[in-house]
Amino acid sequence: MKVLFASSEAYPFAMSGGLADVSGALPKALRKRLVGCRVVMPLYGCVSEEMRSKMNFLCSITVPVSWRRQYCGIFEAHVDGVIYYLLDNQYYFKRDGLYGHYDDAERFAFFSRAVLEIIPHIDFKPDVIHCNDWQTALVPVYLNAFYRWDETFKKIKTVFTIHNIQYQGKYGHELTGDVLGLPPECESLLDYDGCINFMKGAIQCADKVTTVSPTYAREILDPYYSHGLDGILREFTFKLTGIVNGIDYDVYNPEKDGLIYRSYNADDMVGKAFNKQSLQSELGLPQKPGVPVIGIVSRLVKHKGFDLVKCVFEELLRADLQFAILGSGEWEFETFFHRMAERYPDKVGLNLGFNPQLAHRIYAGADMFLMPSQSEPCGLAQMVALRYGTVPIVRETGGLNDTISDSGDGQGNGFTFQSYNAHDMENAVWRALAGYSDANGWNTLKKRGMECDNSWSRSANAYIKLYKEIVNG
């Protein structure tokens, strides 16, 4: 079986979030299971010279964008056993940042059409095109509108994965003629709630629609979570399934991680204590081995639950604990945590921004990891925390609910709360602190978390089963 994985970003070429991690790790996991999987993505200006040195130019073609044709250079690169196709058009992609430009609709309409146009020019005819988020949502639409008559494309199936339903590719109808170029009989595929909606078109046209956790697949049928798409999703529920993401165990491995202070494993956690002491030192916190450290690595935005944290933060600081915080985001929360770090320098270690090395060190050095998200389609940080023996405290939503279970029954791997309520979150933290005071029980909980299997193995097998179902069905 052959799968072409279409994504607007992929590690290690260009990334802005979790989609790049998935696009880098899932194809690699599929390849290990003898599924031919290749990745196609834009060639952005931010791709490093080191990565460009791995690329070979294959050929150039022109791609229809409504009534005109645009240049597209096809480059190929081999990384970790996976072949990547990077599509070049400097007008569309040689810019600062991956997204947020005035013509994003046109940029990714071009990319979606190019994903299909390159197929006759590469030595790879996919059985399945796996599309991801709104930036590739037009691939199934264009495939059905323009290519089904062609023998090369007749049997190709499509899977569309929703990584975050908040971002749908919503635009005005003025794009219909000059940008999208769909025939009149197909224009209704994108029409939804008074505007053009790229994601709606993919939900309607793809053979299967997946999202990144079973709980999130249920949640997005509810208007509270769906950002307006619950109606079309309920109509096509028969297509919808949830598959939890994994994490790359080569990247996140406390036994081999060169970014942390000292390696360790589930059977020998002496190194974790050293990581905690070193983290406290780096963040300017008192080096007290018996004081629990709560880690936070996140975008500091309301959507991630930081209004809850802000509400009870000073109450929590009355306890003998420390916070290790890394992130950036909304001014309100950056300002709040900066003020807390100034007021409580012995209890709050703060680094505003994104620092991959420090992120790994917080995962390794903290005792607990707080994720009180309002919604979380999947979440990777809680799984990384488990991998490093750092006990998650999470709200029961999306992928957090599917990967973390409360240890109150003696079997779980973390501490959870259900309602989006600051005092419910606070209570979960108090329960975690009580658990920490029992050294033997806490060591058992850490070891249990480290032994959880959140690798891509299980997720890759679920995707293979899905691919086979639509190809053989």
Side-chain angles (χ1 to χ4, degrees), residues 59-74:
C59 65
S60 64
I61 60 173
T62 58
V63 172
V65 180
S66 188
W67 48 268
R68 58 205 179 281
R69 300 189 72 91
Q70 301 282 32
Y71 163 86
C72 176
I74 307 172

Side-chain angles (χ1 to χ4, degrees), residues 239-438:
K239 293 183 180 182
L240 182 63
T241 188
I243 299 173
V244 177
N245 286 338
I247 57 173
D248 191 329
Y249 271 31
D250 294 330
V251 174
Y252 300 109
N253 183 354
E255 204 164 13
K256 299 179 179 178
D257 190 341
L259 298 180
I260 65 177
Y261 308 102
R262 182 178 293 177
S263 61
Y264 60 97
N265 58 46
D267 297 318
D268 180 5
M269 293 204 202
V270 173
K272 184 161 179 64
F274 181 83
N275 276 280
K276 177 177 178 176
Q277 179 184 0
S278 301
L279 176 65
Q280 289 171 319
S281 176
E282 181 171 347
L283 293 178
L285 298 170
Q287 296 177 45
K288 297 180 178 179
V291 173
V293 175
I294 300 177
I296 294 174
V297 178
S298 178
R299 287 185 293 117
L300 303 178
V301 295
K302 184 177 179 181
H303 158 86
K304 293 292 185 178
F306 286 102
D307 53 337
L308 305 188
V309 177
K310 182 180 176 183
C311 184
V312 298
F313 195 67
E314 290 193 90
E315 290 181 35
L316 292 171
L317 289 177
R318 293 174 186 164
D320 193 14
L321 55 72
Q322 296 172 345
F323 278 89
I325 304 171
L326 171 65
S328 62
E330 294 168 1
W331 178 87
E332 173 189 355
F333 300 115
E334 287 193 4
T335 303
F336 171 76
F337 285 120
H338 183 71
R339 189 168 67 248
M340 291 297 100
E342 288 184 331
R343 188 177 297 175
Y344 303 96
D346 291 348
K347 292 195 169 189
V348 181
L350 174 67
N351 191 303
L352 291 175
F354 181 68
N355 181 331
Q357 183 179 56
L358 182 57
H360 280 241
R361 289 177 170 181
I362 291 175
Y363 289 125
D367 298 293
M368 307 160 198
F369 194 86
L370 182 59
M371 288 184 74
S373 303
Q374 185 175 6
S375 66
E376 194 69 60
C378 179
L380 300 178
Q382 81 280 9
M383 293 186 275
V384 177
L386 288 175
R387 178 78 162 143
Y388 285 79
T390 299
V391 178
I393 305 169
V394 307
R395 180 168 171 261
E396 296 171 13
T397 184
L400 301 178
N401 185 57
D402 293 313
T403 55
I404 307 300
S405 55
D406 196 271
S407 61
D409 62 0
Q411 302 297 319
N413 56 8
F415 295 88
T416 70
F417 65 101
Q418 188 173 45
S419 301
Y420 192 69
N421 178 283
H423 295 292
D424 285 353
M425 182 203 74
E426 183 184 10
N427 183 56
V429 175
W430 293 132
R431 290 193 297 113
L433 294 173
Y436 179 82
S437 66
D438 175 4

Side-chain angles (χ1 to χ4, degrees), residues 181-253:
L182 286 168
E185 64 271 19
C186 296
E187 290 176 2
S188 63
L189 293 171
L190 302 182
D191 187 41
Y192 192 71
D193 198 24
C195 65
I196 287 170
N197 189 308
F198 285 23
M199 189 174 283
K200 181 262 187 180
I203 293 168
Q204 190 163 342
C205 294
D207 294 288
K208 284 288 184 181
V209 178
T210 73
T211 191
V212 289
S213 70
T215 296
Y216 195 59
R218 294 190 298 272
E219 287 176 343
I220 59 177
L221 299 175
D222 186 316
Y224 181 78
Y225 291 97
S226 71
H227 293 272
L229 276 181
D230 51 289
I232 195 72
L233 284 165
R234 284 195 298 271
E235 183 179 345
F236 291 97
T237 305
F238 66 93
K239 293 183 180 182
L240 182 63
T241 188
I243 299 173
V244 177
N245 286 338
I247 57 173
D248 191 329
Y249 271 31
D250 294 330
V251 174
Y252 300 109
N253 183 354

